[in-house]
Amino acid sequence: MKCFYVFFVLVLLVSCNTAKPEEKIDVTNEEPKLSKKDSLSFFLNHYEKFFTTNFNVSECPGAAVVIVKDSTVVYKKGFGVKEIKTQDSVDVNTVFRIASLSKGVTAVLAGNLVDHNELQWDQRVKESVNTFDLRDREQADRLKVNHLLSHTTGLYKYTYSKLINRGLSIDQIIKSFKRKGVVSREGVDYEYQNAMFSVIEKIMENQTSKPFEILLKERLFAPGGMDNASSSFSDIKNNDNVALPHSYNHYSKKYKLDKLHKGYYNVAAAGGVNASISDMGEYLKVLLGYRPDIISKESLSDIFNPIICTSTKDTYVNLWDGVTDSYYAMGWRILDYRGRRIIYHGGNVNQYKTQLVVDPENKIAMCVLFNGPNPFNGPVIPTFLNYYDFYKEISARQLIN
């Protein structure tokens, strides 16, 4: 699958630059003769050809893609099948697990609570969850909501993932933190978390006296028109339109059907949200700022505001051509990309692979969901950005001419 990487030069940054880099966009000399009206359709047609061709080559069982420009869904389509050895096609309402894209959903919900004065970004964890503690009690006392959401709590990466995998409840996991030491002071180091991130669930519940699952439905899914979205194992298990997970055998080079499992529904804030690509299209409108009734532009700006630099970390986004620096905000990765900032996150759970990107400057966003691991997953977002810049440049030149 090396052909997928023809678009990219691998670059690893070792320091953070606060100034935005100069834009460097390579455009071929031969330009299609397009009107401004046709340029977006031209881009969408070519990206669809790219996606379809490489999806078919990858042999991944199923996928779904949505693209939103301004406040409109301009592309939405299912690919492949929900289950191998069947003709049961993925459609736009087929539900996938969205994995760690759940973190961004949780951040949006937190922003909604902030808008309603039910939560503060600098609110201390122990103010709402008195059962929470660390071996370093002084640091436990200092931890705030923004530390949880930005993975800057000072714990070693993936702390207590083993407890998640054992199926412990979030309440049981929280009580276990008192035995954990820290590796740095809060706010100074980025170490990706799932268990610690999900402590936000209990804060939200205690602040509102409502279960996290209900908050998601009432504050985001229902008003946002995300009709198929949910955050429990029972919801996806009982749904008759689900893209089932598939594992890949590297020796036989074949996919096989896997089982839906309960893992990470015990920390739903970090990885337990289910959604169709139609749901994700409505969600992209929220992220682009067109649903201030769900989250204000001020709170949206807060969750997208970089908190910690990740440019020196072993993070795949640092390898994308055009990325000069990377950061983590609250539930989101922020990338300095070709002179502008974009918002991104990826996910991986129960064999599902998911990716989402928002380009605020160009008011375009895209999400892709796969029901199996595949080498095509890596280039999907960088190529989307590359293609869009190419056609944006063409459109700009035509306006001049």
Side-chain angles (χ1 to χ4, degrees):
M1 311 309 293
K2 293 182 179 177
C3 61
F4 296 141
Y5 295 89
V6 68
F7 300 102
F8 317 113
V9 176
L10 302 182
V11 180
L12 181 61
L13 275 301
V14 295
S15 63
C16 290
N17 302 315
T18 55
K20 291 187 178 180
E22 291 185 20
E23 185 171 5
K24 298 179 180 179
I25 302 174
D26 295 325
V27 182
T28 59
N29 292 325
E30 297 182 4
E31 300 176 1
K33 300 300 182 182
L34 296 174
S35 67
K36 180 181 178 182
K37 179 179 179 181
D38 294 333
S39 61
L40 180 61
S41 295
F42 190 51
F43 158 69
L44 294 173
N45 290 338
H46 277 71
Y47 188 75
E48 180 178 49
K49 289 178 182 178
F50 158 80
F51 190 94
T52 302
T53 299
N54 288 284
F55 171 75
N56 290 337
V57 170
S58 78
E59 298 185 350
C60 181
V65 179
V66 67
I67 300 172
V68 172
K69 180 72 174 80
D70 297 318
S71 61
T72 304
V73 173
V74 294
Y75 183 87
K76 182 170 61 175
K77 188 174 180 179
F79 294 81
V81 294
K82 305 170 195 173
E83 179 182 348
I84 56 171
K85 300 180 181 178
T86 74
Q87 298 299 313
D88 195 5
S89 299
V90 171
D91 61 50
V92 296
N93 293 310
T94 299
V95 171
F96 293 70
R97 296 191 65 174
I98 70 168
S100 282
L101 301 190
S102 304
K103 293 181 174 69
V105 170
T106 300
V108 169
L109 177 60
N112 177 280
L113 267 61
V114 168
D115 288 337
H116 289 87
N117 296 315
E118 296 166 313
L119 184 72
Q120 302 297 324
W121 301 123
D122 61 355
Q123 181 175 321
R124 296 184 188 276
V125 173
K126 292 189 72 172
E127 288 180 23
S128 295
V129 186
N130 56 21
T131 56
F132 175 80
D133 218 333
L134 297 170
R135 190 182 301 171
D136 185 333
R137 292 188 173 183
E138 291 184 358
Q139 183 143 324
D141 289 340
R142 295 193 302 265
L143 285 186
K144 300 177 181 178
V145 165
N146 55 17
H147 297 132
L148 299 180
L149 297 180
S150 62
H151 307 293
T152 58
T153 56
L155 276 73
Y156 187 72
K157 63 181 180 180
Y158 297 114
T159 293
Y160 279 150
S161 287
K162 63 181 181 180
L163 300 186
I164 297 174
N165 295 329
R166 282 168 49 188
L168 270 67
S169 69
I170 188 62
D171 289 313
Q172 292 172 310
I173 294 172
I174 287 173
K175 290 178 181 178
S176 301
F177 275 115
K178 64 184 178 183
R179 298 192 294 270
K180 272 295 173 186
V182 297
V183 294
S184 65
R185 187 180 173 91
E186 75 281 356
V188 300
D189 187 33
Y190 162 86
E191 299 294 345
Y192 196 80
Q193 307 289 335
N194 287 301
M196 181 62 87
F197 184 96
S198 292
V199 174
I200 191 65
E201 285 186 37
K202 300 310 297 183
I203 295 176
M204 291 178 174
E205 290 180 348
N206 292 340
Q207 290 291 117
T208 62
S209 300
K210 289 187 177 183
F212 181 71
E213 182 178 0
I214 298 301
L215 285 170
L216 280 174
K217 289 180 180 179
E218 292 182 349
R219 304 294 183 94
L220 177 56
F221 298 161
M226 300 172 68
D227 298 333
N228 305 302
S230 62
S231 59
S232 73
F233 177 71
S234 62
D235 278 318
I236 194 170
K237 187 69 175 177
N238 296 326
N239 193 313
D240 59 4
N241 189 3
V242 173
L244 296 172
H246 296 77
S247 57
Y248 182 75
N249 188 308
H250 290 278
Y251 295 100
S252 67
K253 300 187 183 303
K254 299 289 184 181
Y255 284 94
K256 70 174 183 178
L257 182 66
D258 214 325
K259 292 182 179 180
L260 279 168
H261 65 60
K262 295 182 179 180
Y264 283 81
Y265 286 107
N266 52 341
V267 288
V273 173
N274 316 306
S276 69
I277 206 66
S278 290
D279 298 324
M280 298 309 286
E282 298 307 307
Y283 177 55
L284 292 181
K285 296 176 187 178
V286 175
L287 299 178
L288 283 165
Y290 293 104
R291 293 302 305 272
D293 56 315
I294 292 175
I295 181 171
S296 68
K297 290 188 177 182
E298 291 76 17
S299 289
L300 201 59
S301 178
D302 287 340
I303 66 173
F304 294 156
N305 186 43
I307 289 179
I308 189 79
C309 179
T310 60
S311 296
T312 61
K313 295 292 183 178
D314 184 17
T315 305
Y316 57 93
V317 294
N318 291 326
L319 303 178
W320 291 359
D321 181 34
V323 171
T324 53
D325 283 311
S326 65
Y327 312 83
Y328 207 92
M330 289 191 285
W332 294 99
R333 296 187 186 278
I334 309 300
L335 311 178
D336 282 340
Y337 176 82
R338 299 192 187 280
R340 64 187 186 275
R341 281 195 166 164
I342 62 171
I343 298 144
Y344 167 79
H345 217 288
N348 173 25
V349 72
N350 195 179
Q351 307 300 334
Y352 293 89
K353 299 284 187 177
T354 62
Q355 300 207 58
L356 186 157
V357 67
V358 179
D359 183 342
E361 182 174 309
N362 291 304
K363 300 186 185 306
I364 193 166
M366 179 263 210
C367 179
V368 58
L369 309 173
F370 293 103
N371 66 344
N374 63 87
F376 180 41
N377 179 61
V380 166
I381 296 298
T383 306
F384 175 81
L385 293 169
N386 190 299
Y387 269 44
Y388 189 75
D389 275 356
F390 177 78
Y391 291 111
K392 183 181 67 174
E393 183 69 13
I394 288 176
S395 180
R397 290 189 181 188
Q398 290 171 338
L399 285 174
I400 294 174
N401 296 331

